[in-house]
Amino acid sequence: MFFRRDETRPPFRKRSGPAADLSFSEEQAVGGGMFTRRALLLLAAQTGVMGTLAHHLYQMQVVHGDELKEQARRNRTSRRQIAPARGEIYDRCGVLLAGNRPNWRALIMTEETTDLQAVVDRFATIVPLDDRDRARIEHDRKHIHRYVPLTLKEFLSWDDVARLGLNAPTLPGVLIDVGTTREYPFKDLLSHIIGYVAPPNETDVQRDGIMALPGMKVGRAGVEQTQESHLRGQPGTVEMEVNAHGRVMGELERVEGQPGARLELTLDSALQTRIRERIGERVASAVVMDCRNGEVMGLVSTPSFDPTLFDGGISRTQWNSLITDQRTPLVDKAVSGLYPPGSTFKPAVALAALKAHAITPSDRFSCPGYYDMGGVRFHCWSRYGHGSINLHQALKYSCDVYFYQVARRCGMEAIHEAAAFLGLDGKLPIELPHMRAGSVPTPEMRRRHGHHWNGGDTVNAGIGQGLVQTTPLALATYVSRLATGRFVQPHLLRSVSGQGIAPVLDPLPFAKEALAAARGGMFAVVNEPQGTAPAARLSLPGVQMAGKTGSAQVRNVPRALRESGHFNSMNLPWQYRPHALFICFAPYDNPRYAVSVVVEHGNAGATEAAPLAAQIMTDTLIRDPASRTSLSRGVVARADGLDD
């Protein structure tokens, strides 16, 4: 094999000697310098890169660490507010009147899903949604912020929950949540007092954004409405873990909200039950009050309604049924029903005349059975008249002619003033909405509203007819004040979160002799011969009751028909018959309880309202609810019967 010599390269010559050694050292030095520069450049580059990396790591982990950690947490979690438990309501004995029970519901986090409608449609194949549900979901989608979950379905069964759990991978953003729904153990017995809750409307949400939370309800009537600020509570929070598809993987942290306050009412639910049983099928109202401090022990209005109908939204059919019922079950007749007080107003007229010194208890007026004034004849209920009588007899017989003349003598201004002192004119400050104000107008008040006043208006007002109107609650307040001589204010709220409420009772501006005269006449109504309410006498040994009957006309009766002697209001259609009223207090010598009863179209207070009031007073005295309290005796979970 031959090798050809490269002519372009000089031949290799090996150097020797000192020159050769020197030349080799120079080459070594040159090569080493080049290596050192490269190493330094490489080291500098590495240092720069590592420094930059360290700087960024420092920025990420130290300077912005908490912020980035929070961003990372938010990418895998979803935090939302949760509705608090609504405050519970109890009666004076510790019996639950309004509470909460669990409510399993399906929610959807709209920010965790890209196609809300598809998820809703898929959900409906698992748990059916009716037209009302779909309309509500669509409404909420348009009016509620994306960070607030939408409620798909409430009141889920265990089967519903199980099916949704199995299909969770196909329902991004859907989660099962447990909240509370309102529970009313006594249903229609207390619906007018306790009221009900309902889903918030747009106005509620605009006023307070918390109301948009799933499960939030707002009081719409009764104590639920007036004590909303106490009962609502403060919301809590829950943090959920979600994956990249928006599916809820689990709950990381839950901070329960602050429940609403615990309210204790002055009511006795067992007495309330007994009053309702006594009233039966009548269209009526009854109020029982502790006349020493104004605590309302019982307040019944019949017929009533089931408050649970409103919790999830009432149907149109149910609503129409309630509002078209001529017996007006939605109206709390005890506080919103306005009635002429009839003859129950006569003690107030007597007090007005005595205070104005227009009469004395011994002054006598003659009753021939009618009273003529200005060509108009005003009849007494007794067509035969009562003869010459004084105040005691006039109250005992309930003589109309006597009070026609007394009203004219003392004047309407004096009657209005006395009625206002007794709680019959104006609105009473009780913890219920829709309380209507009683009205005992004066000529000046009528003229300011463009109406004429004549002497006949004053005459009619003297027997509680015409323009005079009041409520059953005002009647109970009136008789409580008359019995005690003090400004008794009716109230239902006994304590808030254990803090009691002490009433302040100032004396009335009536002389003791005047009050004694009015009370004595009411005692005669029930206990003396020829009184108008012998059916109201109590059968309890050693206990006597004072009271006053009343019948309030709802339509005029022609003079000819009245004087014919053949008129009987019981022959009229039900809606044209007079209302029957009765007010009373007992025991007479040491007043403790006051009762008012109004039976719509009951015809006569003596035969319809008085016996009913006597039964209610007897039940009240036997049970003596003023001595029963959860504050002093502990919680007593009884709601049945009147006996211990």
Side-chain angles (χ1 to χ4, degrees), residues 131-149:
D131 292 339
R132 288 180 60 200
D133 291 327
R134 288 185 176 274
R136 174 183 48 76
I137 293 169
E138 181 62 21
H139 174 273
D140 291 348
R141 183 186 68 80
K142 294 178 179 179
H143 294 86
I144 294 180
H145 294 291
R146 282 183 58 83
Y147 61 82
V148 177

Side-chain angles (χ1 to χ4, degrees), residues 504-526:
V504 178
L505 305 176
D506 296 322
L508 291 171
F510 298 111
K512 293 182 179 179
E513 296 77 13
L515 290 168
R519 294 171 193 148
M522 294 175 67
F523 176 85
V525 168
V526 177

Side-chain angles (χ1 to χ4, degrees), residues 347-585:
V349 176
L351 286 172
L354 292 170
K355 185 176 185 298
H357 304 291
I359 64 168
T360 67
S362 59
D363 287 350
R364 306 184 76 86
F365 293 88
S366 178
C367 171
Y370 57 87
Y371 177 69
D372 290 328
M373 187 190 71
V376 178
R377 174 161 290 184
F378 298 87
H379 293 86
C380 186
W381 69 266
S382 172
R383 60 192 296 260
Y384 303 106
H386 295 101
S388 177
I389 55 176
N390 60 22
L391 175 59
H392 184 86
Q393 293 168 315
L395 288 171
K396 172 182 172 180
Y397 304 142
S398 195
C399 176
D400 294 333
V401 170
Y402 179 95
F403 285 97
Y404 291 152
Q405 298 176 79
V406 168
R408 287 204 68 194
R409 181 174 290 191
C410 72
M412 200 62 214
E413 287 79 5
I415 294 174
H416 169 81
E417 181 185 49
F421 286 136
L422 294 167
L424 293 170
D425 183 80
K427 186 178 292 187
L428 294 168
I430 196 169
E431 303 89 343
L432 290 174
H434 315 305
M435 172 75 193
R436 298 183 71 181
S439 176
V440 184
T442 64
E444 179 58 31
M445 293 167 60
R446 290 283 290 172
R447 282 192 288 268
R448 284 202 303 265
H449 290 84
H451 300 288
H452 177 67
W453 185 281
N454 57 50
D457 294 327
T458 302
V459 169
N460 274 328
I463 61 168
Q465 293 282 171
L467 300 172
V468 180
Q469 289 189 313
T470 191
T471 65
L473 178 65
L475 289 173
T477 304
Y478 155 50
V479 71
S480 293
R481 293 182 180 183
L482 192 155
T484 62
R486 293 191 171 274
F487 276 107
V488 178
Q489 293 284 25
H491 60 278
L492 281 167
L493 196 59
R494 197 156 190 264
S495 72
V496 178
S497 297
Q499 299 297 315
I501 300 169
V504 178
L505 305 176
D506 296 322
L508 291 171
F510 298 111
K512 293 182 179 179
E513 296 77 13
L515 290 168
R519 294 171 193 148
M522 294 175 67
F523 176 85
V525 168
V526 177
N527 300 286
E528 291 184 4
Q530 298 181 313
T532 56
R537 292 175 190 166
L538 300 181
S539 58
L540 298 174
V543 181
Q544 293 177 307
M545 181 173 75
K548 186 68 193 76
T549 54
S551 297
Q553 292 181 356
V554 297
R555 60 176 299 182
N556 291 326
V557 179
R559 175 176 174 177
L561 179 60
R562 185 182 290 277
E563 293 181 348
S564 69
H566 301 297
F567 174 70
N568 184 351
S569 56
M570 278 300 293
N571 296 329
L572 295 172
W574 176 81
Q575 65 270 26
Y576 297 139
R577 297 174 189 169
H579 300 312
L581 303 91
F582 193 76
I583 59 173
C584 56
F585 65 89

Side-chain angles (χ1 to χ4, degrees), residues 54-68:
H55 173 74
H56 284 292
L57 288 174
Y58 177 81
Q59 291 289 319
M60 293 174 62
Q61 296 185 14
V62 179
V63 178
H64 302 294
D66 292 339
E67 177 185 347
L68 296 174

Side-chain angles (χ1 to χ4, degrees), residues 173-191:
V174 175
L175 59 102
I176 305 299
D177 183 61
V178 59
T180 60
T181 188
R182 211 57 166 157
E183 184 176 35
Y184 300 103
F186 291 90
K187 298 188 182 300
D188 62 343
L189 177 67
L190 294 167
S191 56

